[in-house]
Amino acid sequence: MQLSRSHTLASPLFRKILLSAFVLILATVGSADFLMTRYTEQRELELVQQDLELVGQIYRERLSGLTAEQVEDWARKADGQSGARVTIIGTDGAVLAESRRERGSMENHAQRPEVRSALKGGTGVAKRHSASLGVDFLYVAEPARTGDGKGVVLRLAVPLARVNESLRAVRWRILRASLALALLALIAAYLYTRTLTRRIRNIQSYAEGLANERLSEEPELAEGGKDELGALAGSLRGMARQLRGMVELLRVESERREAILSSMKEGVLAVDEELRVTFCNEAFLRAAGAAAEAPDHKPLVQLARNPGFLSLLRQVLASGDTVRGKLPLAPASGRSFEVYAKPLDQGAHRGALAILHDITEVERLERVRKDFVANVSHELRTPLAAIRGYAETLLDGALEDAEHNRQFLEIIRSNAIRLTNIASDLLVLSAMEQDRAEQEPAEAVEVQSVVEAALRTVESAARVRSVALLIEEQPGLRVRGQRFRLEQALVNLMDNAVKFSRAGATVKVESGMTTEGMVAIRVSDEGIGIPSEDLPRIFERFYRVDKARSREAGGTGLGLSIVKHIAEAFGGTVRVESELGKGSAFTLTFPAA
Amino acid sequence: MEELQRRLLEMGGLVEAAIHGSVQALAQRDGEAARQVLESEERINRMEMENDSLTIGLLSRAGTDAGGLRLLVAAIKINHDLERMGDLAANIARRALTLMEEPPVKPLIDIPRMAQLAERMVGQSLDAFVQRDAALARAVLADDDEVDGLRDSIYQELARFMQEEPGTVPRALNLLFVARNLERIADHATNIAEDVLFLVEGIDVRHTG
C-alpha cells in the first residue's frame, strides 16, 4: 500500500515521533552550540589575558628602569607598540600614567577590582565597562615597581570590542555547523519516521482487513523486515492464514448445514420465546404457503396462523417438554403435517424447534389401504353370500324345482367366476409387485403385434355389444418390458372401453410417438365418462365410480389398478381424460426401446 | 401496534380454522369438528373484545402519525369482520349438526367449492394484511363475484329440489343458510381486503362499483 505524503503527515504516530525527534535534536544541538560558544569565548578571553600577562611581564621589567617622570611618555609609546592600553596607578589609587587619556582627568582607581587585587600583591583580572573611556575593556593589573623603587600597579587593558569581534566570527561558524548538523539529523529522523510509519500503517491496514473479514481480497502483507515490526507482520500473516482457514471451514460447514436444511423435505422452524421466527427452511415456507422471503425475526403469525400450531409451540415453551401433533398448517392447502416440537436452549435465549413432516400422502395411502381391506372383504363376501344363499335354497328343495334350479345354478356359477376373476386379478397385482421387487428380465416388445393380440381378445365382447373397434397405429414402435403384461394392460383398457360404450359407438386405439420421443398408446371411447371428482381415485384398487353398474358389467374393480402397475413397471405412466357423457381416453406412455 | 397486529393475525388463524372446520363438519358429517368450531367461537369473541380495548388504548395515546391512525382504524374494522366471520362459521357448524341427523339431500359439490373459495379469500385477505400487498387484496375483491355466482347457482338448484320433493325442504333450507353464511364470510373477507387497500394506498374503494 502506497501512502501519500500528506497521508503520512496526518498520521499521529508520525507526528509524535517526528516532534520528539525535532525537540531532541534542537535541544542537543542547541546546548552543544551554547557550550561550544561559551568554551570558545572563555578560551579567547584566556588567550587575550595570557597575552596581556605576558606583555605585563615585559612591561614590568621595562618599568623598573624608568623614573616617575618617564613613565607617562613610556606608557604612550608602549600603547602604540602593543595596542594595549597602559595605566599606571600609584598605591594610593592615583593614576600616575595613562596611555589614552590625560592623567589629570582620571579619578582615583583604588577601588577598581583588578587594582585592588594587584595592590594585595596578585594579578587582578576584570572585564568591565570603562568609566573613563566608555568602552568595554578586559583589564589585567599587576604590582610593579618604578626605577625609583616606588610601588605602582601596572594595568593593561584591551577593548573587549576587539575580542568580541573575533568571537562573533567563531560563534557564527559554530552556529552554522550546528544548524547544518540539526538539519541533517532532522532529515534523517524524518526519513526514518516515515519508513517506520509506513510499515506500521501497512501492518495496521492489513490487520484492519482481517478484522473486516476481507480475508480473501486483502493482498499478502509485504512487510519483511528483520526487526520487531517484521516479526509482528510475520505473526499477523500466520494469524491471517489461520483465520482464513477457520473462516473457510465455518463457511463450508454452514453452507453444508444450510444445504442440508433447505434440501430437507421436512419443514424446520425455530422460534424464540415470543414466537418470533429465528430460523426456517424452504420446506417450512412451502408448508405454510408463505411467500419465500427471509423471516428475520418476524412474528410467527405472519407466516403461519394455524391456532393448533401456535398453541402447540406455546405448550412446548411453557412446559419445556417435547410435543407431537398432527395438524393442517394452512387449512386451505389441504395438506396435513405431523409436528414434532421440542424446546431449544441456546444459552440465555430460550425457544422452540419444530419439525414438520408432510403426512398427506401417508394418510392418503393409509386410507387407500383401509379401503382396500374393506373392499376386498366386501368384494369377496358379496359373491360368496350369493353362492351360499342360492346353494342353501337349492338344498332346501329348489333342487327339485325344474323351473328355477338351472337359473340358480347359473347365478352360482357366475358368482364363482367373479370370485375367480378377483382372485386372478389380485394374483396379477401381487405378481406385479413381486416383479418389481425381483426385476423380471425385460425384452423389446413390438407394440403393433401386442395391440393386435389384445384386439383379438376383446373382439367378441365388442361384437356382442355392437361396438366398433378402430385401430390407428404407427408401425415399428417398440417398448421395453414384458409382452404379456403390456397385452394385459391393453386388454383391460379396451375391455373397459367396450363395456362402458353404448351400442353403435366406436372404441379407438391409437399409437404413436410423442414429441418427447416417448411411445404413447391411447384407448378412447364415446362412453358415459367419469365424474371429475372420481378421476384421481380410479386407479385405486376396488375403486368403482358406479358400483352397481360396474359389478353388473362383471368388473372386479382391479382392472385399472393393474394397468397402472404395468405402466409403472414399464417405466411409463398412465393418464386419463374424461368428460361426463362424452367419453374417456386413457393414454399409456412408455420410453421407446 | 405490533402486538395488535400479531393478535389480529392469531384471531384470523382461529377464524380460518373455524371456517375450515365448519365446512368439514358439513361435508364429512363430522360432529367433533362442529363442536370444536362452536368452542372456538367463544375464544374469537373474547379476542375481539380484548383487541378492541387494546386498539382504544392505542388510539388514546398521543402522537400517533397518519399511518399509525390508519392502521388502528383498519384494525378496528378487521377485528369486527373477523368476529363476524367466526359467528358465521359457528352458524354453519350448527346447521351441519342439524343436517347430520338426516340423510343428505344431494352430494355436495357447489358448497364445498364455495367454501374453498371463501376460505382462500379469507386467507389471502389476511396475507395481504401481513404483507401490505395491494395486488393480493385486489385479487380477493375479484373473487367475491365468483362466490356470488356460486351462491346464485346453489339457490337455483336447491329451489328445484324443494319444488320436486317437498320432503327435502327443511334440509335444503339449512343448506341455503349455509350458502348464505359462506357468501357473507366472503363479503367480510372482501371488507378486510378493502381495509388493506385503505391501509396501503390510503384510498377508499368501497361503493365504487
Side-chain angles (χ1 to χ4, degrees):
Chain A
M1 177 181 278
Q2 200 61 46
L3 285 172
S4 71
R5 171 159 302 216
S6 63
H7 205 149
T8 313
L9 286 172
S11 147
L13 179 69
F14 177 79
R15 277 195 312 233
K16 265 181 224 160
I17 295 180
L18 202 58
L19 192 70
S20 38
F22 191 76
V23 169
L24 215 63
I25 289 166
L26 283 190
T28 314
V29 173
S31 50
D33 180 80
F34 177 73
L35 289 174
M36 284 277 275
T37 313
R38 273 280 297 279
Y39 175 73
T40 320
E41 250 173 41
Q42 215 103 44
R43 269 308 282 156
E44 197 77 5
L45 279 173
E46 266 168 33
L47 282 176
V48 173
Q49 190 188 327
Q50 272 170 22
D51 281 356
L52 286 181
E53 278 170 18
L54 209 63
V55 172
Q57 209 85 46
I58 299 166
Y59 283 2
R60 230 168 40 188
E61 302 275 316
R62 191 79 51 85
L63 203 59
S64 62
L66 294 176
T67 58
E69 288 76 38
Q70 289 170 304
V71 167
E72 186 128 35
D73 288 335
W74 172 78
R76 284 187 204 280
K77 226 167 9 182
D79 188 348
Q81 280 166 5
S82 67
R85 174 182 163 200
V86 179
T87 314
I88 293 166
I89 303 147
T91 45
D92 55 353
V95 176
L96 302 178
E98 161 66 55
S99 61
R100 302 206 178 169
R101 281 202 45 191
E102 282 308 310
R103 171 164 57 99
S105 66
M106 305 283 281
E107 56 193 72
N108 189 304
H109 271 45
Q111 290 310 309
R112 299 287 194 274
E114 71 277 9
V115 178
R116 269 183 20 208
S117 308
L119 282 176
K120 280 176 197 150
T123 306
V125 179
K127 208 164 75 180
R128 185 161 41 78
H129 189 75
S130 157
S132 323
L133 290 171
V135 187
D136 283 348
F137 275 95
L138 176 69
Y139 299 96
V140 175
E142 277 178 67
R145 272 179 199 283
T146 52
D148 44 14
K150 199 170 139 197
V152 292
V153 171
L154 169 65
R155 191 181 75 168
L156 296 173
V158 284
L160 271 176
R162 253 204 2 241
V163 180
N164 280 345
E165 208 162 304
S166 69
L167 268 182
R168 207 173 299 132
V170 174
R171 212 182 281 147
W172 179 232
R173 220 175 308 145
I174 291 173
L175 188 66
R176 267 199 319 222
S178 301
L179 281 176
L181 207 67
L183 196 66
L184 269 173
L186 276 177
I187 289 172
Y190 172 80
L191 288 176
Y192 177 71
T193 314
R194 200 176 59 166
T195 320
L196 196 70
T197 316
R198 272 192 195 164
R199 289 173 67 193
I200 292 176
R201 272 284 183 146
N202 275 348
I203 294 173
Q204 183 199 3
S205 70
Y206 183 73
E208 268 170 11
L210 290 188
N212 295 341
E213 293 170 29
R214 274 182 290 128
L215 285 174
S216 45
E217 300 163 32
E218 200 59 26
E220 198 48 57
L221 183 58
E223 175 64 48
K226 291 225 184 325
D227 54 4
E228 286 87 342
L229 277 183
L232 175 63
S235 11
L236 262 182
R237 266 195 295 269
M239 201 174 85
R241 236 187 338 271
Q242 273 188 329
L243 260 180
R244 219 170 277 153
M246 262 161 68
V247 166
E248 178 65 15
L249 206 70
L250 281 175
R251 194 182 58 78
V252 167
E253 187 66 18
S254 90
E255 262 172 24
R256 187 185 306 149
R257 229 169 266 171
E258 192 85 354
I260 290 172
L261 282 171
S262 66
S263 65
M264 267 173 78
K265 275 210 320 271
E266 286 77 16
V268 178
L269 167 79
V271 292
D272 63 11
E273 254 177 317
E274 290 164 341
L275 285 185
R276 283 170 183 280
V277 180
T278 50
F279 172 84
C280 71
N281 67 354
E282 285 161 34
F284 177 79
L285 288 174
R286 269 200 304 280
E293 53 176 308
D296 197 29
H297 265 66
K298 272 190 196 159
L300 175 62
V301 272
Q302 293 196 6
L303 291 179
R305 293 185 290 268
N306 183 274
F309 187 53
L310 295 177
S311 67
L312 186 140
L313 286 176
R314 284 208 180 98
Q315 193 187 331
V316 170
L317 286 172
S319 67
D321 294 334
T322 299
V323 179
R324 286 167 194 274
K326 277 185 190 175
L327 46 87
L329 197 56
S333 73
R335 305 199 75 82
S336 51
F337 295 89
E338 187 171 38
V339 181
Y340 169 84
K342 58 179 290 225
L344 198 61
D345 261 319
Q346 291 176 310
H349 303 287
R350 273 171 38 73
L353 178 77
I355 296 170
L356 287 87
H357 188 68
D358 190 337
I359 51 167
T360 316
E361 193 62 15
V362 176
E363 284 192 335
R364 195 187 68 82
L365 287 176
E366 183 68 9
R367 205 169 51 241
V368 168
R369 196 186 62 80
K370 273 188 196 149
D371 284 359
F372 176 70
V373 174
N375 283 332
V376 165
S377 33
H378 179 73
E379 293 296 328
L380 294 179
R381 211 168 41 223
T382 317
L384 279 174
I387 290 171
R388 185 177 159 190
Y390 283 105
E392 278 169 0
T393 314
L394 284 172
L395 284 175
D396 283 353
L399 199 57
E400 313 305 328
D401 185 349
E403 204 178 315
H404 291 109
N405 58 5
R406 192 172 176 81
Q407 190 193 339
F408 289 171
L409 285 170
E410 282 292 344
I411 293 172
I412 288 173
R413 189 176 73 150
S414 81
N415 275 298
I417 289 171
R418 256 171 59 73
L419 281 176
T420 317
N421 285 345
I422 291 172
S424 68
D425 276 357
L426 282 173
L427 276 176
V428 169
L429 275 175
S430 85
M432 294 289 312
E433 260 152 28
Q434 201 80 10
D435 282 0
R436 224 186 290 180
E438 289 169 13
Q439 293 288 327
E440 281 274 306
E443 47 180 345
V445 182
E446 207 194 354
V447 173
Q448 190 172 6
S449 67
V450 178
V451 171
E452 276 159 20
L455 186 68
R456 278 194 293 279
T457 315
V458 295
E459 235 169 12
S460 59
R463 212 175 301 125
V464 169
R465 298 182 64 93
S466 55
V467 172
L469 284 165
L470 186 68
I471 311 285
E472 274 178 27
E473 57 188 351
Q474 183 181 329
L477 295 176
R478 297 159 88 82
V479 296
R480 282 200 81 75
Q482 286 169 284
R483 188 189 167 84
F484 74 101
R485 296 281 185 228
L486 179 60
E487 188 178 328
Q488 173 143 36
L490 286 175
V491 168
N492 283 3
L493 287 178
M494 285 157 77
D495 192 45
N496 271 353
V498 168
K499 265 191 281 190
F500 293 108
S501 285
R502 279 176 283 263
T506 307
V507 168
K508 224 195 272 184
V509 182
E510 299 152 279
S511 60
M513 293 288 278
T514 67
T515 46
E516 292 92 33
M518 304 279 277
V519 173
I521 308 170
R522 183 180 149 98
V523 179
S524 55
D525 63 53
E526 298 166 350
I528 55 174
I530 303 161
S532 59
E533 61 262 32
D534 290 317
L535 281 179
R537 296 195 65 185
I538 56 170
F539 291 107
E540 286 173 17
R541 292 167 181 181
F542 292 122
Y543 191 82
R544 289 193 179 89
V545 173
D546 184 337
K547 298 202 158 66
R549 192 195 158 103
S550 161
R551 220 170 279 140
E552 179 194 313
T556 59
L558 293 169
L560 286 175
S561 180
I562 290 172
V563 170
K564 188 178 177 214
H565 271 78
I566 292 174
E568 282 166 2
F570 275 63
T573 55
V574 57
R575 211 175 58 238
V576 59
E577 305 147 57
S578 182
E579 203 175 328
L580 216 52
K582 294 235 174 96
S584 313
F586 289 82
T587 309
L588 292 163
T589 315
F590 305 112
Chain B
M1 214 67 102
E2 195 189 284
E3 167 73 5
L4 176 64
Q5 196 163 328
R6 196 186 61 67
R7 295 182 59 102
L8 280 178
L9 285 173
E10 194 163 345
M11 184 169 163
L14 275 173
V15 170
E16 276 180 305
I19 297 170
H20 190 74
S22 70
V23 176
Q24 187 184 339
L26 181 73
Q28 287 164 25
R29 309 187 140 240
D30 184 343
E32 184 51 38
R35 270 182 288 279
Q36 274 179 15
V37 172
L38 295 179
E39 265 170 43
S40 75
E41 188 204 0
E42 281 176 36
R43 245 184 98 188
I44 293 170
N45 288 345
R46 242 195 340 271
M47 281 195 90
E48 190 214 4
M49 295 197 296
E50 287 165 7
N51 288 349
D52 257 350
S53 60
L54 182 61
T55 316
I56 288 166
L58 286 168
L59 265 178
S60 62
R61 194 183 292 172
T64 310
D65 60 3
L69 280 177
R70 269 212 306 258
L71 174 64
L72 290 177
V73 171
I76 292 175
K77 294 196 205 166
I78 291 173
N79 192 25
H80 177 73
D81 280 322
L82 285 175
E83 188 271 334
R84 290 297 308 143
M85 286 198 256
D87 284 352
L88 293 167
N91 283 348
I92 295 176
R94 276 189 274 272
R95 301 280 173 195
L97 282 173
T98 316
L99 281 165
M100 252 172 250
E101 291 158 9
E102 289 177 71
V105 184
K106 61 165 219 112
L108 298 175
I109 296 170
D110 280 344
I111 285 189
R113 252 176 71 195
M114 195 171 160
Q116 212 178 352
L117 203 60
E119 251 181 77
R120 199 179 76 194
M121 287 170 67
V122 175
Q124 284 182 343
S125 67
L126 288 170
D127 285 342
F129 176 60
V130 173
Q131 285 149 24
R132 303 283 192 269
D133 185 340
L136 194 58
R138 280 184 215 285
V140 173
L141 297 190
D143 277 347
D144 195 35
D145 295 339
E146 199 179 331
V147 170
D148 288 347
L150 274 172
R151 182 207 49 197
D152 289 344
S153 73
I154 289 170
Y155 275 14
Q156 280 158 20
E157 197 186 10
L158 287 173
R160 213 171 55 240
F161 266 103
M162 288 190 268
Q163 279 162 5
E164 283 169 8
E165 227 180 299
T168 64
V169 167
R171 281 169 286 163
L173 275 178
N174 271 329
L175 284 177
L176 209 64
F177 277 120
V178 168
R180 174 148 176 68
N181 283 329
L182 282 174
E183 187 254 323
R184 279 169 58 194
I185 285 175
D187 284 347
H188 286 294
T190 311
N191 286 348
I192 293 179
E194 284 167 352
D195 292 337
V196 171
L197 282 177
F198 167 71
L199 193 58
V200 179
E201 300 182 341
I203 53 164
D204 202 332
V205 289
R206 291 172 301 171
H207 317 302
T208 49

